[in-house]
Amino acid sequence: MTASLPGKRDLPASQYNLNTYWGRVRQSAEIADPRTLFVSNEGLESAKTLVSSFKQGHVQSMTPELWRAKKIVDSTLHPDTGQPVFLPFRMSCFVISNLVVTAGMLTPGLKTTGTLLWQITNQSLNVAINTANANKSTPLSTSALVQSYFLAVSASCSVAIGLNAVVPRLGRLSPGAKTILTRLVPFAAVASAGALNVFLMRGEEIRRGIDVFPTLSPAQKADLAKEGTDIESLGKSKKAATLAVTETALSRVLNATPIMVLPPLILVRLQRMQWLQQRPRLVLPVNLGLILTTSIFALPLALGAFPQRQTIRARQLEKEIAEKVGGEGMVEFNRGI
């Protein structure tokens, strides 16, 4: 993110209105654009230099080149550390990284061993993405990371295996209804374990709190820039951390819902058609195509549900923080992705 680069002058947060849902969706689509994955190290350094030039006052106004540089930086660098997020775990690679795993979980007729292996693979990927994109002001210890991982894997596997055992025993349902419910088992496992995964992987933030900063006016930011002073944290807030982690967990469920529900239901319908019955080898590519198409649209819609840089009234947080800015004053924090 551009906030991690040198310079006291802030860039505009976005070309779009982030106070609206559709503005955040369009901004999320920028961050999730897979074309940024092909930017070379030289291209990244060039983008960082251009952004820093604006923040240091050498460039006076936003240009198309500067907006593109900001897009590259925002989709590549972590907002807290300023370091590149490992490529497979960036939001711009989310669709690609999840494509094969999701296709594996949604494979028709998957047996118990296959179900377990794909659920373990999915939760491993979730752990990596959650860790790479979490708020870094309160890092998670290695022991807590390992414990959280095994709890999330156990939860997803238990739900998947349990529902796969229950659905065939529902005698009152027609074979068609059982088929649909069986195809939706991965969604139940992914949604429940995915939300749990976020809470487990970022539980340390809730226990210790995350950094909260005062929301400053453009004039106040300009004064700090002239003084060469950074915006100081008001302290760590557990309430802000709980809100940040809860919203992130909800966004993961929102993202999983269309991806894990629409493709299997559409595929069930298509498999009843003669042209696909005569061409069974097309089932896999059709499944991949459905998942890819749904994922491309679902990710920005889910990420846009909540702002990444969250702003709330200080009175909603701890008393000691509210007293520093006044109960009606506004504070902000990085929610994480």
Side-chain angles (χ1 to χ4, degrees), residues 13 24 245 257:
R24 294 195 297 271
V245 175
T257 301

Side-chain angles (χ1 to χ4, degrees), residues 214-234:
T215 300
L216 304 181
S217 67
Q220 290 174 315
K221 292 179 180 179
D223 290 339
L224 287 178
K226 290 178 182 178
E227 298 170 3
T229 305
D230 291 324
I231 302 175
E232 293 186 3
S233 169
L234 296 170

Side-chain angles (χ1 to χ4, degrees), residues 296-325:
I296 290 173
F297 290 100
L299 182 59
L301 292 172
L303 291 179
F306 308 102
Q308 183 177 359
R309 193 73 182 178
Q310 186 75 278
T311 302
I312 61 173
R313 294 199 180 278
R315 58 180 165 78
Q316 296 178 251
L317 303 181
E318 288 81 355
K319 182 179 179 181
E320 57 269 24
I321 291 178
E323 289 176 346
K324 292 180 180 180
V325 295

